[in-house]
Amino acid sequence: MSEKMAQDANYNPYAGVQPATPATAPAAAPARPKTVETAFWLLIAAAALVLIRIPVGIAAVNTEKHKEEVGSIFGTANIPWWTSEEISSYVWSGVSTAIILTAIALLSRMGFGWPRIVLILVVISTALNTRVQFFASVVTVYPAAWVTLVSVLLSLAATVLLFLTPSNHYFKSMGQYRKGKKSVQA
């Protein structure tokens, strides 16, 4: 019987072959630091505030005091057009900013570092928008401007957290982890 096994081994191309082991097993993903986790929740809160700003802004635009101020500046014939333009601006800017902030929060949480640069641009543009809301030619300071200001402050705090040393190490480690994972799969 041992002679039969020896003959079978000679004809079996897989006899004696050991299963291949990967060169390097992928290491566990780096632990997410509290700075990134906190920044994630701050950005989600900022996105929620930007969405809350929409009905707050619409309510402020529809007040009689605002319509009187717009009428005194642009003429009463332009009140409906101006009001609809302001409402449209609140809706589109609020929805797009909320989507961008949420995407930045998710990508940062996943370990991508590049969204931090986009976040800086979003914070700057939103801060400029807040400045315009506070110092517009219309005298009324809308409650929406205060909501926007709080959103900007939350986004600014998240930006600072995402550039701290633990966050930087996390983003670098995640980049190396993804590269290592790709090389093992290849």
Side-chain angles (χ1 to χ4, degrees):
M1 180 127 165
S2 65
E3 190 176 313
K4 173 76 171 144
M5 289 174 71
Q7 285 180 345
D8 287 343
N10 289 335
Y11 295 109
N12 185 353
Y14 300 107
V17 175
Q18 298 296 323
T21 58
T24 57
R32 188 179 308 120
K34 289 187 185 279
T35 54
V36 173
E37 192 67 25
T38 303
F40 170 79
W41 289 111
L42 287 173
L43 289 172
I44 295 299
L49 281 173
V50 169
L51 291 175
I52 290 170
R53 181 186 72 143
I54 295 170
V56 171
I58 291 171
V61 165
N62 284 325
T63 62
E64 288 303 317
K65 183 177 181 182
H66 175 71
K67 288 179 181 180
E68 288 173 9
E69 288 179 5
V70 169
S72 68
I73 295 170
F74 300 112
T76 55
N78 292 324
I79 292 174
W81 174 83
W82 185 260
T83 302
S84 68
E85 287 296 314
E86 284 183 302
I87 289 172
S88 175
S89 174
Y90 274 116
V91 171
W92 287 111
S93 66
V95 170
S96 61
T97 303
I99 289 170
I100 292 169
L101 288 174
T102 303
I104 290 170
L106 291 170
L107 289 169
S108 296
R109 193 176 199 201
M110 292 169 52
F112 293 97
W114 63 265
R116 299 179 294 176
I117 306 304
V118 177
L119 180 59
I120 289 171
L121 299 174
V122 170
V123 169
I124 290 171
S125 64
T126 309
L128 290 174
N129 180 27
T130 304
R131 186 193 62 78
V132 169
Q133 287 179 9
F134 275 109
F135 300 109
S137 61
V138 178
V139 179
T140 307
V141 175
Y142 299 124
W146 293 105
V147 175
T148 305
L149 179 62
V150 174
S151 175
V152 167
L153 293 175
L154 291 174
S155 299
L156 184 61
T159 305
V160 169
L161 287 173
L162 290 175
F163 278 96
L164 291 178
T165 303
S167 299
N168 285 332
H169 289 306
Y170 172 68
F171 295 131
K172 286 178 185 174
S173 298
M174 281 301 291
Q176 291 171 349
Y177 171 74
R178 280 191 291 278
K179 284 180 185 176
K181 197 173 175 183
K182 283 182 183 178
S183 66
V184 168
Q185 290 176 352

